[in-house]
Amino acid sequence: MNNRGQIFTLDLLISLFIFLLLFTSVVLFLYSVADVNNPYSSYYSQVTSTYLNNVANQNADILSESIGSPANWPQYACGQISSIGLLQNTYELSPLKMYNLTTMSTKCLSQLLRAGGSFNVTTYYLNGSTVKIGNRPITAGFSIPQNQSYIASVSRYVVMYPGSTIIKITFTEWL
Amino acid sequence: MNRAQIFTLDLVMGSVIILSILSTTYTISTYYSTINSSLNIKSNIINSASSAASAFALVGTTDNALVQLHSTGNTAIFLDYVKSTLGAMLTRPYSISIQTKSDYGTSSAPNITIFNYTSPGFSDLSYSSFYEPVIVSDLSTLCYSNCDPSLSIKDVFAGQNATLNAPYCTVFYNNGTEVPWTVLNDTTGSECTIKVSSAAYPQNYLVNAFSSPGTFEGNTTLYVLALDLIHIKAGT
């Protein structure tokens, strides 16, 4: 019989190695899943999707539910405009303001909408065709890329002056 | 000397526990990510449906269709209009009903259903409800002998309002008595808003227009045919 105490054994070394390996893997995995700065983590996915959706909804509401500030903002330079809105009165879209949306510089529009460099706003009739005013398609921003990982697109329906046509305003934001 | 024991029961159990924790963590985080996406999608559907219901009630073509529905009782024509307009805006199955009043002169809600339609696939288990009160009014100018044809009544259906293209206006019954409705004058714009009472009778109302207080510009007629309620249920 061997009466010596056995502390530092091969069993211990191997067990310790396996334990540390598994423990490290667990920690790394948990951090990767929960790390909002990790583009492969589900938290990043949630935060990004929610952020884009909020921006799209906010800007769709601003354009379709306000007259802007000042109310006659098409007559002002970009630096003098606080916010843009497409309404002419409490419920009708202004064709003039819709037209001016397309002539305003993308940089100014991005600044006023706080939409960054990846947004698009387009208006459609109910039959799906793009609204044209003065033969100009009413669309602004950037071209929507294909196969984007994160993209949010929301729509609002509003009556266009003089009150006999419903227009669909679609705001798209992507990353 | 004993042989080294690597593959032990302890190792197997420990590995199973750790792998279970990893799987559970991944499943939970993926589940909440799915719920978050689902909530965003539903919220977008509801916001879009809300604007669709409002636009449907406000647009002049709906008023024309309601006038025709009241005048002829032809629900097939109104159904075609609903399918081509509301149906084009709502991406999910929906239901729509139109109620009209049975007791004018009181503030009671419309309670007689004159039109009802449910699109295929609509489920009572998941929908959002939208109520839109409307003034059914023949928008063609209906003038008395001295009316000004340049003035136009525009019906704004939200909250049963009507607007006139003049900053100030007053509204009278046929007998010359001023109606006790709320009129919102627009000193900065060019449209006054007439808030038609829910107790109003279906009749002609004379509307006088003023460019400024005391400066009469002309008059026109607000013809109230009916006060209806549009109820839209949009599937989510």
Side-chain angles (χ1 to χ4, degrees):
Chain A
M1 183 179 176
N2 188 343
N3 292 324
R4 285 188 300 175
Q6 291 180 319
I7 300 175
F8 193 72
T9 63
L10 186 60
D11 286 346
L12 176 64
L13 284 176
I14 294 170
S15 301
L16 202 60
F17 173 74
I18 294 173
F19 173 77
L20 285 174
L21 181 67
L22 288 173
F23 181 78
T24 306
S25 302
V26 168
V27 170
L28 285 175
F29 175 78
L30 288 176
Y31 268 107
S32 69
V33 164
D35 183 10
V36 74
N37 294 315
N38 175 9
Y40 297 100
S41 74
S42 60
Y43 276 25
Y44 177 86
S45 172
Q46 286 180 49
V47 168
T48 305
S49 299
T50 302
Y51 167 76
L52 291 177
N53 201 62
N54 288 344
V55 171
N57 273 288
Q58 181 179 291
N59 286 323
D61 287 340
I62 287 172
L63 291 172
S64 65
E65 296 177 4
S66 73
I67 58 175
S69 178
N72 55 343
W73 58 262
Q75 300 174 14
Y76 289 81
C78 184
Q80 298 172 302
I81 302 173
S82 299
S83 69
I84 55 170
L86 299 180
L87 290 187
Q88 173 168 307
N89 48 40
T90 51
Y91 79 105
E92 286 173 319
L93 287 178
S94 162
L96 175 64
K97 289 182 177 177
M98 289 168 68
Y99 183 83
N100 275 273
L101 193 69
T102 68
T103 59
M104 181 182 277
S105 74
T106 309
K107 181 183 174 185
C108 176
L109 194 56
S110 170
Q111 184 183 322
L112 289 169
L113 294 175
R114 294 176 180 79
S118 50
F119 73 95
N120 176 281
V121 54
T122 304
T123 58
Y124 304 91
Y125 292 111
L126 291 188
N127 63 7
S129 61
T130 304
V131 174
K132 286 187 179 179
I133 295 174
N135 215 31
R136 188 184 181 96
I138 305 304
T139 180
F142 303 88
S143 297
I144 301 174
Q146 302 296 322
N147 303 322
Q148 201 64 20
S149 299
Y150 297 100
I151 187 165
S153 189
V154 300
S155 299
R156 297 289 186 269
Y157 295 93
V158 197
V159 176
M160 183 170 73
Y161 181 85
S164 299
T165 311
I166 296 176
I167 300 295
K168 173 179 165 181
I169 301 175
T170 299
F171 193 97
T172 307
E173 183 81 25
W174 62 88
L175 189 66
Chain B
M1 185 174 179
N2 293 329
R3 288 184 298 174
Q5 293 178 312
I6 300 174
F7 193 72
T8 64
L9 186 61
D10 291 338
L11 176 63
V12 172
M13 289 175 63
S15 300
V16 168
I17 291 171
I18 289 172
L19 287 172
S20 300
I21 293 172
L22 292 177
S23 302
T24 304
T25 304
Y26 181 76
T27 303
I28 290 174
S29 65
T30 306
Y31 174 71
Y32 279 107
S33 178
T34 306
I35 286 184
N36 185 62
S37 297
S38 175
L39 285 174
N40 283 341
I41 292 170
K42 283 217 168 180
S43 171
N44 290 346
I45 291 172
I46 292 172
N47 286 335
S48 180
S50 173
S51 70
S54 178
F56 178 78
L58 287 171
V59 73
T61 48
T62 298
D63 178 68
N64 295 340
L66 284 171
V67 169
Q68 201 168 18
L69 179 64
H70 276 274
S71 302
T72 67
N74 191 327
T75 56
I77 295 177
F78 191 78
L79 177 59
D80 286 341
Y81 173 76
V82 165
K83 285 181 177 177
S84 65
T85 309
L86 189 64
M89 293 190 283
L90 297 178
T91 55
R92 301 288 174 103
Y94 62 95
S95 165
I96 176 174
S97 64
I98 310 288
Q99 279 93 35
T100 194
K101 287 190 72 158
S102 61
D103 49 352
Y104 285 94
T106 70
S107 298
S108 60
N111 56 2
I112 299 178
T113 301
I114 58 174
F115 177 81
N116 203 351
Y117 171 70
T118 301
S119 72
F122 176 76
S123 168
D124 272 333
L125 298 176
S126 176
Y127 64 86
S128 292
S129 243
F130 305 98
Y131 291 90
E132 302 287 344
V134 296
I135 309 169
V136 181
S137 173
D138 189 346
L139 290 179
S140 61
T141 305
L142 185 66
C143 292
Y144 289 111
S145 57
N146 296 320
C147 75
D148 184 344
S150 69
L151 294 172
S152 59
I153 285 284
K154 174 77 59 64
D155 281 354
V156 179
F157 300 122
Q160 295 177 314
N161 297 335
T163 59
L164 175 70
N165 57 343
Y168 299 85
C169 54
T170 53
V171 188
F172 298 88
Y173 293 111
N174 292 342
N175 61 7
T177 309
E178 190 166 352
V179 298
W181 301 346
T182 300
V183 176
L184 302 177
N185 297 313
D186 185 2
T187 55
T188 58
S190 60
E191 290 186 352
C192 61
T193 301
I194 304 164
K195 300 180 87 64
V196 178
S197 167
S198 56
Y201 283 95
Q203 62 179 74
N204 296 352
Y205 295 90
L206 179 67
V207 182
N208 287 336
F210 302 85
S211 56
S212 60
T215 308
F216 179 73
E217 293 296 324
N219 56 33
T220 188
T221 303
L222 172 61
Y223 181 53
V224 177
L225 178 63
L227 298 176
D228 288 353
L229 185 68
I230 301 176
H231 182 198
I232 296 170
K233 295 179 184 178
T236 55

